[in-house]
């Protein structure tokens, strides 16, 4: 027994698709997901989405910390996947699926992985 | 009318994400909006809808299901979010800021009981245009409105009416999307016959429908009524202002999304042909003439000389009657803002030359001639352009498009600078952003004064 739950294929696939994206693109995606479907005329709003994505992460920091920092799945994944962002992010996304939809969970998970979970977990 | 519960709850939950100020600072709201102006626009739309020839009931249903959430970030976006039969309209404050400014200028052209270009001397229009360039320049430099217009700039009751009608048009356009929500979400027309809709319009057809719906609502109470020329003129100018403001800000994008909405002039021509069936030709021609006079001041144009005027912005606004008084201590701040925007407006070749001059300035013993200096700058812009990431220059409709404001933020990290700046002189970031913008979008339009 490793103590780590097998990571769902859906999470792994969703994270894999996001790997080529930069931090700005991931934040913009998170911002767009927070607002959901929209009609209407919003020109040139990439920066607006980035800003909303950043604030989403800030506003969720406490919840994310509670969910992730002591999660056995995440702790085990951190030990086993040193340097492999995709695998760790997929494990984090699996945990986040309890409260967020898959696109949001995968995007947030990859952002948190790239920023380093230590950053999140040491700011409690 | 009761508050649409789902849309309101959706917006309230997102206030901390959307706003710069905290939700606890939010003090005003009624059943339509958290902003008095938007609320007034919803009530005005409800009144006008009673006089629509068609669609009164569905329009009123859409209004009853609409919550307008004003957010104060200065962006120019207005987005309509469908939520289980209700709608949240998220209206960023940038549109109102820009329309407020332009409404003051329109009001200056009203005197007695009529609008006329002659009511505002060209010199006064020109000093207003200078202020407009600085304010619109914020969209190019930061992607949003960060600094307010000068205190005391007030167009009185006429400007307030222009603003009200402009807000109504913006609301009514979105309301058109809400009424036709199912079809428009799928990219299909709702009122037009799909078979007869011109094929080359593509998804712009739903925007044309929303414009048609909006203009019908904005003028609903005037059909068959004895119409005052000034009132009809005011409403038409308000629509043109709104179209122009949207286009002006779309132009700040590094990759303007021209296919989403038609150009403002074409949108107006469509609206005009609708109005031509209801208003006399001479009235529409007078509005066109008035707009031509106004529009010169409402464009982001190429700077005609290298440095801004020596005369202070606030001084010239006061001299030309736009301000009763101003604090001379603020003049320096305005000069700095104008300087930044002015640099951004320099013609591409001059920007590239100045970039080259900065690049060679730190090379000891180097004395290149003007042509070589220009070539160094041109190469640096080319190198940067070739290495820019897709999120800055690409076209991803799902996540919006970047402005030169995001490029400026991106260039604050030295590792991203092109040669020879990466290990040489500091990069002139604003000049570089301007050069990239113009390489991608073409030169800024030349000002009417320069063309003469």
């Amino acid at each position: 027994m490793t103590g780590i739950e097998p990571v769902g294929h859906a999470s792994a696939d969703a994270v894999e698709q996001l790997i080529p994206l930069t931090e700005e693109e991931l934040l913009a995606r998170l911002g767009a997901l927070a607002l959901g479907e929209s009609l209407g005329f919003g020109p040139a709003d990439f920066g607006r989405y980035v800003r909303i994505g950043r604030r989403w992460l800030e506003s969720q920091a406490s919840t994310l910390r509670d969910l992730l920092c002591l999660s056995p799945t995440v702790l085990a994944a951190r030990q086993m996947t040193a340097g492999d962002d995709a695998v760790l992010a997929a494990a984090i996304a699996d945990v986040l699926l309890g409260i967020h939809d898959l696109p949001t969970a995968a995007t947030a998970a990859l952002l948190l992985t790239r920023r380093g979970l230590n950053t999140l977990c040491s700011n409690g | 009318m009761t508050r649409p519960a789902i849309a309101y709850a959706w917006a309230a939950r997102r206030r901390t994400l959307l706003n710069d100020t905290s939700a606890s600072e939010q003090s005003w709201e009624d059943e339509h909006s958290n902003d008095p102006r938007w609320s007034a626009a919803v009530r005005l739309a409800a009144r006008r809808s009673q006089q629509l020839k068609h669609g009164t009931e569905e329009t009123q249903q859409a209004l009853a299901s609409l919550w307008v959430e004003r957010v104060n970030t200065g962006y120019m976006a207005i987005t309509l979010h469908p939520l289980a039969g209700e709608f949240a309209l998220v209206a960023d404050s940038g549109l109102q800021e820009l329309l407020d400014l332009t409404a003051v200028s329109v009001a200056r052209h009203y005197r007695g009981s009529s609008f006329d270009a002659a009511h505002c001397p060209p010199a006064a229009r020109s000093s207003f245009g200078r202020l407009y360039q600085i304010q619109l320049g914020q969209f190019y430099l930061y992607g949003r409105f960060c600094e307010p217009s000068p205190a005391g700039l007030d167009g009185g009751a006429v400007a307030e009416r222009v603003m009200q009608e402009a807000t109504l048009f913006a609301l009514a356009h979105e309301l058109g999307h809400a009424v036709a929500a199912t079809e428009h979400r799928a990219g299909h027309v709702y009122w037009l016959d799909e078979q007869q809709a011109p094929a080359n319009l593509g998804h712009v057809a739903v925007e044309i429908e929303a414009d048609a719906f909006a203009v019908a609502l904005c003028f609903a109470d005037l059909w068959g009524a004895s119409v005052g020329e000034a009132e009809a003129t005011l409403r038409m100018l308000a629509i043109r202002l709104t179209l122009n403001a949207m286009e002006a800000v779309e132009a700040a994008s590094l990759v303007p999304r021209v296919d989403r909405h038609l150009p403002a002039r074409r949108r107006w021509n469509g609206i005009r042909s609708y109005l031509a069936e209801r208003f006399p030709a001479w009235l529409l021609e007078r509005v066109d003439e008035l707009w031509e006079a106004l529009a010169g001041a409402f464009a982001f144009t190429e700077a005609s000389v290298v440095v801004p005027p020596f005369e202070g912005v606030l001084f010239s606004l006061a001299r030309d009657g736009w301000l009763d008084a101003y604090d001379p201590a603020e003049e320096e701040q305005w000069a700095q803002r104008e300087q930044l925007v002015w640099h951004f407006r320099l013609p591409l070749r001059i920007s590239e030359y100045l970039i080259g001059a900065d690049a060679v300035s730190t090379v000891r013993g180097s004395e290149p001639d003007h042509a070589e200096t220009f070539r160094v700058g041109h190469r640096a812009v080319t190198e940067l352009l070739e290495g820019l990431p897709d999120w800055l220059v690409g076209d991803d409709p799902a996540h919006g498009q970047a402005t030169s404001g995001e490029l400026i933020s991106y260039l604050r990290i030295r590792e991203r600078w092109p040669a020879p700046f990466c290990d040489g002189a500091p990069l002139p970031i604003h000049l570089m952003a301007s050069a990239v913008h113009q390489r991608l979008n073409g030169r800024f339009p030349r000002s009417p004064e320069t063309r003469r």
Side-chain angles (χ1 to χ4, degrees):
Chain A
M1 285 289 284
T2 61
I4 184 170
E5 297 294 324
V7 171
H9 283 300
S11 299
D13 290 348
V15 167
E16 196 64 42
Q17 287 176 11
L18 300 175
I19 291 290
L21 303 187
T22 62
E23 164 127 350
E24 285 91 346
E25 287 172 298
L26 289 170
L27 286 168
R29 182 181 160 85
L30 202 54
L33 287 165
L35 285 191
E37 182 195 2
S38 69
L39 300 159
F41 46 40
D45 33 21
F46 184 90
R48 174 174 172 260
Y49 282 133
V50 168
R51 189 181 153 286
I52 294 170
R54 197 170 280 134
R55 289 180 85 105
W56 186 93
L57 274 182
E58 289 165 8
S59 69
Q60 298 287 319
S62 170
T63 310
L64 293 170
R65 204 175 289 122
D66 291 347
L67 269 174
L68 300 173
C69 294
L70 297 176
S71 156
T73 306
V74 175
L75 287 171
R78 289 180 79 178
Q79 284 182 341
M80 295 177 60
T81 63
D84 190 337
D85 282 359
V87 178
L88 178 57
I92 293 173
D94 256 7
V95 176
L96 296 183
L97 273 178
I99 53 170
H100 297 295
D101 58 24
L102 179 59
T104 302
T107 311
L110 190 53
L111 274 165
L112 291 170
T113 303
R114 287 195 183 158
R115 290 177 169 198
L117 273 182
N118 286 341
T119 309
L120 176 75
C121 297
S122 62
N123 286 336
Chain B
M1 210 178 271
T2 56
R3 180 184 285 163
I6 298 168
Y8 174 76
W10 181 93
R13 275 200 305 275
R14 282 161 180 77
R15 278 178 184 160
T16 51
L17 295 181
L18 292 165
N19 274 292
D20 284 341
T21 50
S22 70
S24 60
E25 289 177 44
Q26 186 104 25
S27 57
W28 191 96
E29 59 184 36
D30 68 1
E31 67 271 34
H32 304 300
S33 174
N34 62 340
D35 180 80
R37 278 184 169 176
W38 281 105
S39 180
V42 174
R43 282 184 268 116
L44 187 58
R47 284 201 299 279
R48 299 247 173 111
S49 71
Q50 291 169 357
Q51 289 166 276
L52 280 171
K53 289 206 169 113
H54 310 285
T56 295
E57 195 176 327
E58 58 184 351
T59 303
Q60 292 185 341
Q61 277 174 4
L63 280 166
S65 65
L66 181 74
W67 171 260
V68 184
E69 179 77 14
R70 182 193 196 263
V71 295
N72 65 354
T73 55
Y75 287 103
M76 189 73 173
I78 297 187
T79 49
L80 184 72
H81 301 267
L83 303 156
E86 294 184 2
F87 299 91
L89 183 67
V90 177
D92 274 278
S93 54
L95 179 65
Q96 281 189 327
E97 301 263 5
L98 195 59
L99 290 175
D100 263 342
L101 180 64
T102 46
V104 170
S105 172
V106 172
R108 182 76 182 269
H109 293 76
Y110 180 83
R111 195 186 303 156
S113 59
S114 68
F115 286 93
D116 198 314
H119 293 333
C120 181
R125 219 178 281 132
S126 178
S127 61
F128 181 87
R130 193 174 156 197
L131 171 67
Y132 183 83
Q133 301 269 357
I134 298 171
Q135 294 303 85
L136 188 60
Q138 295 186 38
F139 288 102
Y140 286 84
L141 294 176
Y142 315 115
R144 57 178 173 147
F145 248 122
C146 301
E147 303 287 348
S149 295
L153 192 73
D154 181 9
V158 175
E160 193 56 39
R161 278 284 299 126
V162 172
M163 183 62 197
Q164 189 179 37
E165 291 296 328
T167 307
L168 177 65
F169 179 77
L171 171 75
H173 177 100
E174 296 306 321
L175 199 62
H177 286 312
V179 169
T182 307
E183 297 299 327
H184 281 192
R185 285 165 78 181
H188 299 140
V189 291
Y190 177 68
W191 289 283
L192 292 168
D193 183 341
E194 189 103 45
Q195 305 300 319
Q196 292 178 349
N200 61 347
L201 289 176
H203 62 278
V204 174
V206 303
E207 299 299 332
I208 293 171
E209 283 202 331
D211 275 352
F213 176 90
V215 73
L217 184 59
C218 287
F219 287 86
D221 59 330
L222 297 188
W223 305 147
S226 176
V227 181
E229 178 192 334
E231 178 64 20
T233 302
L234 183 149
R235 294 191 193 184
M236 290 182 207
L237 288 174
I239 291 174
R240 294 208 74 167
L241 279 186
T242 312
L243 298 177
N244 187 71
M246 296 304 302
E247 183 175 72
V249 178
E250 281 189 337
S253 166
L254 282 176
V255 185
R257 197 182 319 177
V258 291
D259 61 336
R260 186 161 175 179
H261 290 100
L262 290 170
R265 182 172 287 278
R266 284 189 67 189
R267 288 178 75 181
W268 170 251
N269 286 342
I271 290 168
R272 193 186 190 284
S273 64
Y274 175 86
L275 294 172
E277 294 175 15
R278 293 154 177 87
F279 289 104
W282 63 263
L283 177 59
L284 292 164
E285 283 161 12
R286 287 207 60 183
V287 171
D288 289 341
E289 281 171 24
L290 187 53
W291 178 256
E292 289 308 314
L294 280 162
F298 297 155
F300 195 74
T301 55
E302 192 172 271
S304 53
V305 291
V306 176
V307 292
F310 178 72
E311 185 180 82
V313 180
L314 298 180
F315 171 84
S316 63
L317 288 169
R319 182 200 57 209
D320 290 325
W322 297 102
L323 297 175
D324 290 334
Y326 68 96
D327 180 358
E330 291 181 7
E331 195 77 276
E332 181 56 30
Q333 288 175 350
W334 279 95
Q336 288 172 6
R337 282 181 210 163
E338 183 172 42
Q339 182 83 24
L340 279 177
V341 175
W342 198 278
H343 269 181
F344 199 95
R345 294 169 53 215
L346 288 174
L348 175 60
R349 284 178 180 275
I350 293 181
S351 296
E352 293 188 336
Y353 177 86
L354 293 174
I355 290 167
D358 274 11
V360 301
S361 65
T362 55
V363 181
R364 193 172 294 172
S366 164
E367 289 184 12
D369 60 17
H370 293 309
E372 180 56 21
T373 302
F374 169 75
R375 275 194 289 274
V376 170
H378 186 80
R379 273 199 302 271
V381 177
T382 304
E383 186 184 320
L384 178 71
L385 255 173
E386 287 170 352
L388 286 177
D390 269 356
W391 64 266
L392 271 171
V393 294
D395 183 9
D396 180 354
H399 307 134
Q401 292 174 318
T403 65
S404 38
E406 278 85 52
L407 175 59
I408 287 168
S409 300
Y410 173 85
L411 290 176
R412 296 205 187 284
I413 297 174
R414 193 183 184 107
E415 286 70 37
R416 293 167 172 174
W417 294 357
F421 293 99
C422 46
D423 47 12
L427 179 75
I429 292 177
H430 291 92
L431 277 175
M432 184 57 95
S434 168
V436 168
H437 192 284
Q438 294 187 69
R439 284 273 199 100
L440 291 168
N441 294 280
R443 288 172 63 170
F444 299 122
R446 303 180 76 190
S447 68
E449 287 84 2
T450 313
R451 285 200 297 267
R452 271 201 286 273

